[in-house]
Amino acid sequence: DFVAQRQHLSKRDGSRDEIEISEDGSVKEVFEAPRNIAFLLYGAVYQGIGQEFIYNHLYSTWFGDGTGPAVVATKVAFDLLLQTTLVTLPVAYLTKATIFRYPLTEGLSRYIE
């Protein structure tokens, strides 16, 4: 996200969301530290630790250790249709809500929109 923010700021169009005017009237770039913290926490805790446990432990228990087409197709279908939509993305929005200090219900409503 740091790289994405830097690229976005370098291509800014001057809108108020992307710049900040200091007291002396000069324009300075705005770097959103909370946004980066949210991505780091989500990446480390859920994407790193959580999904390692889900993919390497729970999936093996639920669907078996095999690598045949049927087992792989089942794991991929479960991941795409259920886990991503019901767990992965909501956790991302809840993490962002926590970091930016708005209610968790608002985080979920932003996901649903």
Side-chain angles (χ1 to χ4, degrees):
D1 188 58
F2 173 78
V3 173
Q5 281 190 58
R6 297 299 302 168
Q7 288 175 345
H8 181 72
L9 287 172
S10 70
K11 296 176 185 175
R12 68 179 182 215
D13 63 2
S15 70
R16 299 291 293 164
D17 292 339
E18 298 171 1
I19 60 173
E20 185 176 300
I21 309 295
S22 63
E23 292 178 10
D24 65 358
S26 63
V27 176
K28 64 180 186 176
E29 296 177 345
V30 176
F31 178 78
E32 297 180 48
R35 177 177 158 176
N36 279 288
I37 292 169
F39 275 104
L40 285 172
L41 281 175
Y42 174 73
V45 176
Y46 178 72
Q47 293 285 331
I49 298 168
Q51 285 194 341
E52 189 281 330
F53 180 76
I54 291 168
Y55 289 131
N56 295 325
H57 302 283
L58 295 180
Y59 275 30
S60 297
T61 301
W62 296 341
F63 308 115
D65 291 327
T67 57
V71 173
V72 171
T74 302
K75 290 178 180 180
V76 169
F78 183 85
D79 181 54
L80 294 175
L81 299 173
L82 295 173
Q83 182 181 331
T84 300
T85 57
L86 299 177
V87 180
T88 303
L89 293 175
V91 168
Y93 280 83
L94 292 172
T95 302
K96 184 177 176 183
T98 302
I99 297 298
F100 283 94
R101 297 180 184 195
Y102 52 82
L104 296 179
T105 54
E106 183 179 337
L108 287 177
S109 68
R110 288 181 181 197
Y111 167 65
I112 293 168
E113 292 173 355

